[in-house]
């Protein structure tokens, strides 16, 4: 039975509808009830049974749901259909248009007190904000969705929790993103709430912060669990996202062919679903695979394709991030001037609060390019800025490498003590990877 308004609101609604139709209380009651009962009901002094409301609704020629809740018949169903349309708009990369759809749907759902539909609209607005790089707004929308779903089972709340974690991750708060994802995984597995879709979404999402923190063993385990649970998941978009995340762990283990095959599966699913932004991310990841494998011409082609697709859809943060990786490939191909120009262009879109890991990578690469040009002062300046960004984010693996570069620079310029300090700092990060600083790993799913 649908949730009803309180008796006083229902009474006033019955009286208004009866008056609009020119019916007396006797005519409304006819055949089953007394005029006195209708009078008491309209005064809000009795809670009508479902049978009584259905009789009155039939006499007033309105749907039972509308009489009981004040919502037009099939409103929730209609809203859900339109939410699906907004989701499709976002999938094609039109984040601004999708945000307008979601905002209108949120207003309508709020007006009728539909919490589940409000939460779905807020989730959509959060995803739109991530797409456009507005991480503060994205996090706020996901938090609002969580509040709307406060009384729902944990698996229902997982998309909002995951969205909030991704917003923190993109802002450079790697450890907190891991905490959110891990604590949710732990609660799901320890309490027996083994929802395969929710688990796969969380495992796929935790891989990136694990990798950036140097917790490669945990990333590999998360990928293993996601792959094991995948046969129980029906959502093709979620499976595609999982394959794209898993590819990163396969590549870290040197399994390039398997990583490429995983990306191929993801790309094919995205093409079938016509999800443009995620397809662009597949080109991005494939470019990364080719770059790691030394196939720089193919890497450049894939990364340029990804950047063009993301720029066309105004996904500004992701466009800047892929541009940093493209610049690295250009530098390795001897196109250092073009790479430096690209990096200076995108640094305006990246910061310590937005794309911090890629912002550090841009400064690191600008430092390398400056060193190649024998401009050690500029190189040192970029390395130090990169070091500050990575320390804030806790990106242990990248920190160790940067300390090596800075130490080498100090050594070549005769500053031996400074070089030793940099090397010691780098060794400290190598001997204390993310696996030893994240705390106990979450409970395992029952595989």
């Amino acid at each position: 039975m649908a949730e009803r308004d309180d008796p006083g609101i229902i009474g006033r609604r019955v009286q208004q509808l009866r008056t609009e139709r020119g019916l007396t209380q006797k005519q409304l009651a006819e055949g089953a009830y007394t005029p006195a009962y209708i009078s008491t009901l309209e005064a809000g002094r009795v809670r009508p049974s479902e049978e009584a409301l259905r009789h009155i609704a039939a006499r007033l020629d309105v749907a039972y749901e509308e009489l009981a809740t004040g919502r037009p018949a099939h409103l929730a169903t209609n809203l859900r259909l339109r939410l699906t349309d907004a989701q499709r708009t976002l999938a094609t990369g039109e984040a601004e248009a999708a945000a307008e759809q979601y905002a209108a749907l949120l207003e309508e759902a709020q007006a009728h007190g539909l919490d589940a539909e409000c939460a779905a609209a807020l989730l959509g607005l959060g995803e739109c904000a991530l797409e456009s790089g507005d991480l503060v707004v994205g996090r706020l929308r996901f938090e609002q969705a969580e509040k709307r779903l406060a009384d729902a089972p944990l698996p229902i709340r997982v998309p909002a929790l995951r969205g909030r974690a991704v917003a923190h991750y993109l802002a450079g708060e790697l450890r907190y993103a891991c905490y959110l994802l891990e604590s949710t995984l732990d609660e799901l597995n320890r309490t027996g709430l083994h929802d395969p879709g929710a688990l796969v979404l969380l495992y796929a999402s935790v891989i990136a912060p694990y990798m950036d923190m140097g917790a490669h063993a945990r990333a590999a385990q998360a990928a293993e669990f996601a792959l094991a649970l995948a046969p129980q998941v029906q959502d093709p978009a979620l499976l595609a996202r999982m394959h794209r995340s898993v590819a990163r762990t396969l590549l870290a283990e040197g399994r390039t062919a398997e990583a490429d095959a995983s990306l191929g599966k993801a790309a094919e699913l995205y093409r079938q679903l016509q999800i443009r932004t995620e397809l662009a991310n597949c080109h991005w990841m494939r470019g990364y695979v080719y770059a790691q494998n030394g196939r720089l011409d193919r890497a450049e082609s894939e990364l340029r394709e990804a950047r063009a697709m993301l720029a066309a859809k105004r996904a500004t943060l992701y466009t800047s991030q892929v541009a940093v990786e493209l610049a690295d490939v250009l530098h390795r191909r001897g196109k250092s001037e073009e790479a430096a120009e690209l990096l200076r262009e995108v640094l305006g879109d990246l910061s310590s609060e937005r794309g911090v890991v890629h912002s550090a990578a841009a400064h690191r690469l600008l430092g390398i390019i400056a060193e190649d040009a024998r401009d050690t002062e500029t190189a040192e300046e970029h390395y130090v800025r990169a070091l500050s960004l990575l320390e804030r984010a806790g990106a242990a693996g990248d920190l160790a490498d940067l300390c090596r570069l800075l130490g080498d620079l100090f050594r070549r310029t005769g500053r031996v003590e400074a070089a030793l300090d940099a090397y010691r700092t780098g060794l400290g990060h190598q001997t204390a990877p993310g696996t030893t600083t994240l705390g106990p790993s979450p409970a395992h799913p029952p595989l």
Side-chain angles (χ1 to χ4, degrees):
M1 185 173 66
E3 182 184 346
R4 300 186 201 167
D5 287 329
D6 64 53
I9 294 173
I10 292 174
R12 288 192 294 274
R13 190 175 297 132
V14 169
Q15 184 180 41
Q16 181 184 347
L17 290 168
R18 178 180 63 75
T19 304
E20 287 173 359
R21 285 154 176 74
L23 297 175
T24 64
Q25 290 178 339
K26 180 180 179 182
Q27 288 170 320
L28 186 58
E30 202 169 71
Y33 299 94
T34 65
Y37 176 77
I38 299 299
S39 176
T40 307
L41 187 153
E42 289 184 351
R45 294 197 297 270
V46 64
R47 175 173 290 277
S49 66
E50 181 179 349
E51 182 183 3
L53 277 184
R54 289 194 181 280
H55 168 82
I56 294 167
R59 299 287 292 170
L60 292 170
D61 195 26
V62 297
Y64 164 77
E65 180 186 352
E66 185 172 353
L67 185 63
T69 67
R71 302 166 191 154
H74 311 301
L75 172 69
T77 303
N78 179 262
L79 278 172
R80 284 192 286 270
L81 286 171
R82 289 157 60 202
L83 283 164
T84 303
D85 288 338
Q87 188 177 15
R88 191 176 296 114
T89 303
L90 178 59
T92 60
E94 303 293 340
E96 289 182 15
E100 289 179 8
Q101 289 177 267
Y102 280 125
L105 289 164
L106 175 61
E107 187 177 348
E108 195 171 336
Q110 285 176 327
H112 294 285
L114 295 167
D115 281 341
E117 286 69 25
C118 281
L122 287 164
L123 280 172
L125 286 168
E127 294 292 346
C128 290
L130 292 188
E131 192 91 348
S132 59
D134 197 338
L135 304 182
V136 175
V137 170
R139 187 166 62 243
L140 175 64
R141 295 305 187 201
F142 292 126
E143 287 171 356
Q144 290 172 333
E146 277 188 79
K147 288 177 182 175
R148 286 281 179 176
L149 298 170
D151 297 326
L154 181 57
I156 302 298
R157 290 183 275 126
V158 160
L161 284 159
R162 176 259 173 196
R164 189 154 60 93
V166 171
H168 283 290
Y169 165 65
L170 291 173
E173 297 160 6
L174 308 185
R175 191 172 303 281
Y176 188 61
C178 285
Y179 162 75
L180 285 174
L181 295 166
E182 284 194 339
S183 58
T184 308
L185 280 165
D186 197 50
E187 188 175 349
L188 282 171
N189 289 326
R190 286 191 188 281
T191 55
L193 296 170
H194 305 301
D195 182 286
L199 289 170
V200 168
L201 179 60
L202 292 167
Y203 282 125
S205 300
V206 80
I207 287 172
Y210 275 163
M211 294 293 288
D212 286 345
M213 291 185 70
H216 294 169
R218 284 205 187 177
Q221 187 178 63
E224 179 187 335
F225 290 153
L227 287 169
L229 290 161
Q232 301 174 51
V233 176
Q234 303 299 318
D235 182 355
L238 175 54
L239 290 172
R241 178 181 287 168
M242 179 210 70
H243 280 299
R244 183 162 60 82
S245 298
V246 165
R248 190 171 176 186
T249 67
L250 294 170
L251 188 63
E253 295 172 355
R255 296 156 66 182
T256 308
E258 291 173 71
D260 201 29
S262 197
L263 284 171
K265 291 176 185 175
E268 183 55 35
L269 285 165
Y270 287 138
R271 285 191 193 93
Q272 291 171 11
L273 294 166
Q274 297 182 323
I275 302 180
R276 293 284 292 170
T277 305
E278 294 288 2
L279 181 57
N281 286 334
C282 277
H283 283 292
W284 177 2
M285 191 66 195
R286 185 163 267 165
Y288 178 75
V289 170
Y290 285 138
Q292 296 300 307
N293 207 27
R295 298 171 67 182
L296 299 182
D297 55 337
R298 294 293 299 276
E300 181 180 342
S301 175
E302 292 284 355
L303 291 170
R304 285 192 187 278
E305 176 73 12
R307 183 168 179 251
M309 291 174 74
L310 290 166
K313 300 305 176 187
R314 300 182 184 177
T316 53
L317 176 58
Y318 296 132
T319 303
S320 299
Q321 289 178 330
V322 76
V324 174
E325 296 189 25
L326 173 59
D328 180 53
V329 170
L330 290 172
H331 170 64
R332 289 166 65 186
R333 297 198 74 192
K335 305 176 184 179
S336 296
E337 287 187 16
E338 184 183 353
E341 185 178 341
L342 184 58
L343 290 167
R344 284 190 287 268
E345 179 186 322
V346 302
L347 271 174
D349 294 323
L350 299 169
S351 69
S352 60
E353 304 296 330
R354 192 169 176 267
V356 61
V357 174
H358 280 79
S359 181
H363 282 295
R364 172 188 175 279
L365 185 51
L366 281 168
I368 291 171
I369 292 170
E371 240 192 305
D372 289 346
R374 302 186 184 283
D375 185 352
T376 54
E377 188 176 332
T378 300
E380 182 179 342
E381 181 184 333
H382 282 298
Y383 287 154
V384 169
R385 291 183 71 177
L387 187 65
S388 173
L389 289 166
L390 291 174
E391 283 181 331
R392 178 187 175 282
D398 291 340
L399 266 167
D401 176 66
L402 189 64
C403 288
R404 177 188 59 79
L405 288 170
L406 190 57
D408 289 349
L409 175 65
F410 287 148
R411 182 172 52 80
R412 280 194 292 272
T413 52
R415 288 172 284 176
V416 178
E417 284 301 318
L420 288 171
D421 284 343
Y423 290 142
R424 288 189 194 103
T425 302
L427 285 170
H429 287 299
Q430 280 196 321
T431 54
T435 42
T436 61
T437 56
L438 282 167
S441 60
H444 296 177
L447 299 174

